[in-house]
Amino acid sequence: MLDVRNVSKQYSAPHGVLSILDDISFKLDAGDSASIVGPSGSGKSTLLYILGALDPPSSGTVTLDNQNLYELNEKDASAFRNQQVGFVFQDHSLLPQCSVLENVLAPTLIGHEKSPIEYQTRARELLDKVDLGHRLDHRPSQLSGGEKQRVAIARALVCQPTLLLCDEPTGNLDQRNAESVAELLLSLHRSERTVLVVVTHSTDLANRFSQRLSLVDGRLITAS
């Protein structure tokens, strides 16, 4: 379960305190999904980074499977992110010098929850699921935008995370590829039973999730 309680985020500014998030609370169980929508500057990406243990809140708590993310020391937080949280960004952020398979395996170089052979098997199975099992040795420059994003999704799932976070995963894609990536993301979410949270400007994508969280000026105005 992802349990977000009374999360606020402020930054010091020259003329006072700048409030980004104000008293955000919601819960998602394993297998649940939520979209985060709202105008630019409403705090969507900031909330996503807080959920992923990348940026601490000014107040409030974020708990994933009974672990308070911000009670961990730096070393344990890094290991937790690596094993329990998967990230997919608008820019796929693939390593250009590495093959498709090597990119998917990149997160496994840090943690050692499984053997290299087990990770190899997992990576190949995910690439088969995203229809890239025949492109293992290709470099990112040899892939389309949609294919790159599919590799990024496989990479995010290779360590079998509890929480999958996506920041505008279809934002750089044309309509056909956006629909394909959205369907793939939801299909893998269902089969993997992750907690899925997606920031998006796409109304069509946002409406496909079990909950839709709307942010305006840092406040959660709906949770449906």
Side-chain angles (χ1 to χ4, degrees), residues 2 4 26 28 32-36 44-55 62 64 69-70 80-81 84-91 149 152-153 155-157 161-170 185 189 194-200 209 213:
L2 175 67
V4 181
F26 63 91
L28 294 170
D32 284 348
S33 63
S35 59
I36 301 175
K44 301 185 302 296
S45 292
T46 298
L47 177 57
L48 203 70
Y49 298 152
I50 290 173
L51 301 184
L54 291 171
D55 188 18
V62 179
L64 183 62
L69 276 56
Y70 293 100
F80 187 87
R81 282 193 299 270
Q84 299 298 327
V85 185
F87 294 93
V88 179
F89 300 102
Q90 182 172 349
D91 178 359
Q149 201 64 312
I153 292 170
R155 178 184 58 190
L157 290 169
T162 302
L163 175 63
L164 181 61
L165 302 174
C166 305
D167 195 357
E168 296 286 359
T170 62
L185 189 61
H189 154 67
T194 59
V195 175
L196 173 63
V197 181
V198 176
V199 163
T200 182
F209 297 91
L213 311 177

Side-chain angles (χ1 to χ4, degrees), residues 149-160:
Q149 201 64 312
R150 284 190 268 157
V151 174
I153 292 170
R155 178 184 58 190
L157 290 169
V158 71
C159 291
Q160 295 182 286

Side-chain angles (χ1 to χ4, degrees), residues 24 35-38 42 212-216 219-224:
I24 304 296
S35 59
I36 301 175
V37 299
S42 59
R212 176 169 167 161
L213 311 177
S214 297
L215 285 176
V216 175
R219 295 187 65 87
L220 187 63
I221 60 170
T222 61
S224 57

